[in-house]
Amino acid sequence: MAGSESNAHEGFTAEERAAMKEHARELRTASRRGSRAEKAAQAEQEVLAKIAEMGDSDRIMAERVHAVVTATAPVLAPKLWYGMPAYARDGKVVCFFQSAAKFKARYATLGFNDAAGLDEGSMWATAFALTEVTDEVEARIAALVARAVQ
């Protein structure tokens, strides 16, 4: 390769490695819990604790997203997923909230996995940038979540 610049792949970022470690810890913790009800209650407490740790802007958005998702789709179970608040059906994550601080982004993200029924022809959005959760944004989130769990 000519020049002094290297295009070599450096592997995972520190943030990505931290997220993977959080996910491994989440799996170990979940495997140690008791009954299904105990697991669900503990998982929700962990989500609420993770939200409480966030900085002001991310925390406010995550609290509102959590309220909208749990009210709109009570079939979704809150859980941590790679250190992020997530909402799953039958153990599969349907949607998640990623704080802006998590990967040092300029916006938070509301993401949907393939378990979400958001298909629109040959191409559709699976992630949405959030800078503020207004009443209008809450309504859009509620509509997306309702569609995702149909």
Side-chain angles (χ1 to χ4, degrees), residues 13 22 40 42 47 49 51:
T13 65
E22 281 183 283
Q42 183 62 34
V47 166
I51 290 170

Side-chain angles (χ1 to χ4, degrees), residues 79 81 86-89 91-96 112-116:
K79 65 183 274 178
W81 185 63
Y87 306 87
R89 179 172 48 192
K92 295 182 181 178
V93 171
V94 174
C95 61
F96 60 90
F112 292 86
N113 284 343
D114 60 343

Side-chain angles (χ1 to χ4, degrees), residues 58-124:
D58 284 333
R59 188 187 71 255
I60 290 165
M61 288 189 289
E63 288 170 346
R64 290 184 78 178
V65 167
H66 179 78
V68 170
V69 172
T70 56
T72 303
V75 299
L76 295 180
K79 65 183 274 178
L80 287 180
W81 185 63
Y82 293 95
M84 297 176 285
Y87 306 87
R89 179 172 48 192
D90 301 326
K92 295 182 181 178
V93 171
V94 174
C95 61
F96 60 90
F97 176 85
Q98 179 180 297
S99 69
K102 180 118 183 122
F103 294 106
K104 299 177 182 151
R106 65 182 179 87
Y107 52 82
T109 302
L110 175 65
F112 292 86
N113 284 343
D114 60 343
L118 297 180
D119 305 35
E120 285 183 6
S122 299
M123 184 176 150
W124 58 90

